[in-house]
């Protein structure tokens, strides 16, 4: 596959989309932007709902690759997750197949495996093939997205890197985040690797920086050529002083998904 140049960035108005809009052009990409909401300062952005199949197909036409960030990024009633994350991701993959796009980087999440106990002491890092244990309907939608990506690779030869993102923000804001933080610069490095590595088929990777307090294994991400440069540890002293170390007896601090595991569920209504 030739190196992609024109890339559709869905969810471009969101937090991660805004960070990636600033960083990815330095890698030589021309970004086409899509979001449900207008993208500030970007009058050419496509304002469309993933539910609109025609608009999605038009947005996909002519791009070399897609970074798929759009969707609901927290827990929500199942019907909303179904429309935005499950049906929306299906519409995007169908459009990509119909338009011959060869590579997608899919923003999956740690919440696809959020019930996995976090390592303590000398426990091994969580492997990328750990069994799925979604902690929310949101996490369940990311499991669907990963399986959809596998199906479209096996059936149609459309390649995907599913990036199980930890927390990509300018700075970590909690003690838990020290273990799963991905700096924006490392996020851009990882998406670049996901778009340019050869023969990825469908590959699942963990998305974080090389944190001292890392909980999960970055081997499959590094195999794509990802070379993380950042570590959350410089933020640790302040956060631990404010919040204390994580308490393994607290169910909200014992598993990879953190509070998503224990927050009251949002049931259909
Ligand atoms: N930021 C993180 O640390 C993190 C961690 C794990 C996973 N992720 C995933 O990465 C992606 C981006 O995360 P974020 O933090 O920027 O979220 P965000 O909520 O800030 O942005 C999501 C964007 O998607 C758009 N969107 C929602 N539904 C849509 C639809 N039906 N059609 C078109 N656009 C729609 C929203 O308008 C929003 O701008 C999400 O898929 C999220 O689940 C992010």
């Amino acid at each position: 596959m030739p190196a992609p140049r024109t890339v559709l960035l869905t969810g471009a108005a969101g937090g991660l989309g805004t960070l990636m809009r600033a960083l990815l052009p330095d890698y030589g990409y021309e970004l086409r932007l899509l979001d449900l909401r207008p993208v500030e300062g970007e009058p050419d952005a496509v304002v469309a709902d993933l539910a609109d199949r025609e608009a999605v197909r038009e947005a996909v036409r002519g791009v070399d690759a897609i970074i798929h960030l759009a969707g609901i990024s927290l827990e929500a009633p199942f019907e909303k997750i179904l429309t935005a994350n499950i049906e929306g991701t299906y519409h995007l993959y169908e459009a990509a197949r119909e338009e011959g796009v060869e590579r997608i980087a899919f923003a999956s999440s740690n919440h696809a495996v959020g019930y996995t106990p976090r390592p303590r002491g000398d426990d091994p890092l969580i492997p990328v093939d750990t069994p799925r244990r979604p902690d929310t309907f949101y996490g369940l939608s990311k499991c669907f997205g990963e399986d959809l990506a596998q199906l479209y690779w096996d059936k149609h030869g459309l390649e995907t890197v599913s990036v199980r993102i930890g927390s990509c923000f300018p700075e970590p804001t909690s003690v838990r985040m020290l273990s799963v933080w991905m700096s924006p610069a490392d996020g851009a490095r990882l998406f670049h690797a996901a778009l340019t590595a050869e023969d990825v088929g469908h590959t699942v990777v963990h998305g974080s920086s090389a944190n001292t307090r890392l909980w999960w294994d970055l081997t499959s991400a590094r195999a794509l050529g990802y070379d993380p440069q950042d570590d959350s540890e410089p933020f640790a002293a302040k956060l631990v002083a404010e919040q204390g170390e994580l308490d393994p007896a607290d169910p909200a601090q014992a598993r990879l998904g953190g509070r998503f595991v224990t927050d009251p569920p949002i049931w259909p209504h």
Side-chain angles (χ1 to χ4, degrees), residues 184-205:
D186 278 343
R189 285 183 189 103
L190 183 48
F191 281 121
H192 176 58
L195 293 186
T196 52
E198 296 286 335
D199 301 328
V200 299
H202 175 228
T203 299
V204 180
V205 303

Side-chain angles (χ1 to χ4, degrees), residues 123-138:
D123 290 351
L125 297 174
I126 297 170
V128 81
D129 61 354
T130 195
R132 300 270 183 67
R133 297 184 71 174
D135 56 25
T136 41
F137 294 137
Y138 164 69

Side-chain angles (χ1 to χ4, degrees), residues 14-16 35-37 49-50 69 71 73 107-108 138 142 166-168:
L16 189 51
D35 202 288
L36 198 53
R37 311 179 271 155
D49 192 324
L50 291 174
L69 307 180
S73 56
S108 184
Y138 164 69
K142 297 302 185 181
S167 301
C168 189

Side-chain angles (χ1 to χ4, degrees), residues 33-72:
L33 310 176
L34 179 145
D35 202 288
L36 198 53
R37 311 179 271 155
V39 185
E40 209 182 319
E42 299 284 356
D44 293 337
V46 178
V47 179
D49 192 324
L50 291 174
D52 182 345
R53 292 186 72 157
E54 273 314 304
V56 172
R57 184 156 179 189
E58 204 172 305
V60 159
R61 191 166 298 141
V63 300
D64 301 320
I66 300 169
I67 299 177
H68 179 39
L69 307 180
I72 295 173

